[in-house]
Amino acid sequence: MPAGHLSPRPLGSSGVDVSALSLGSWRTFEHLPAETGVAILRAAREEGISFFDDARYNDETGRAPIPTGYSEVLFGELFRGAGVRRDEVVVANKLWWEFWPGQSAAAELDASLQRMRFDHVDLVYANPPPAGRDRRAWRWPTWWPTSAGSSRRGRPARGAW
């Protein structure tokens, strides 16, 4: 790839810079040998990709040890196996509201972090919440992690949900 094509650029008005391309892992790594997944993540990082994306979904292989979220377990394992430094990249994840209202947005994100064995993600995408839900009833996390490893108090940025 020509030099500069993946150079960091602003992620909207977030104040965070990311590579021009993101490597997503939805419905990917469970279909590949682990060494191939590690090689993909390592090569992506070596080429300058600094933006990684993962999302929880239900097992489609019939081989996963858990029915949902094994994609996140694999992503975390491969990420560490590739030697990607967490402090050098931006990681995004997605909330699905699948278990709402029994599981809050904060609980869903916490479960994802536990499966990936990460202490934070830098960006959270979300489908629109279920129809008829009063936003005032949402249980937001009190603290939101930031890419600098610190936290800020309050709700996510306006428009993020």
Side-chain angles (χ1 to χ4, degrees):
M1 179 166 286
H5 273 63
L6 295 177
S7 296
R9 8 198 116 184
L11 180 62
S13 61
S14 69
V16 175
D17 288 337
V18 296
S19 55
L21 293 175
S22 173
L23 177 64
S25 63
W26 191 63
R27 296 182 169 172
T28 305
F29 293 118
E30 72 280 6
H31 298 286
L32 302 171
E35 60 273 6
T36 302
V38 166
I40 289 169
L41 285 167
R42 186 175 291 138
R45 190 65 192 112
E46 289 169 356
E47 289 297 322
I49 292 179
S50 62
F51 189 14
F52 295 87
D53 177 81
D54 187 55
R56 173 192 54 78
Y57 60 92
N58 294 335
D59 174 47
E60 297 172 337
T61 67
R63 299 184 309 268
I66 57 177
T68 188
Y70 191 60
S71 54
E72 294 170 322
V73 172
L74 280 176
F75 176 75
E77 289 174 354
L78 298 173
F79 186 93
R80 287 181 292 282
V84 177
R85 289 191 42 181
R86 183 63 190 88
D87 62 334
E88 293 180 350
V89 300
V90 171
V91 175
N93 202 321
K94 186 171 188 176
L95 299 179
W96 293 99
W97 306 104
E98 184 177 359
F99 304 113
W100 174 269
Q103 185 182 46
S104 68
E108 185 174 346
L109 179 57
D110 285 343
S112 291
L113 291 170
Q114 288 173 12
R115 286 188 291 268
M116 289 185 289
R117 292 182 32 215
F118 286 177
D119 64 354
H120 72 285
V121 295
D122 306 292
L123 176 66
V124 177
Y125 306 113
N127 285 338
R133 297 295 178 193
D134 181 355
R135 287 184 177 211
R136 293 172 296 183
W138 296 359
R139 295 180 305 238
W140 295 101
T142 303
W143 294 93
W144 287 88
T146 66
S147 60
S150 61
S151 298
R152 65 181 176 84
R153 188 166 182 74
R155 293 185 175 181
R158 193 174 69 135
W161 298 91

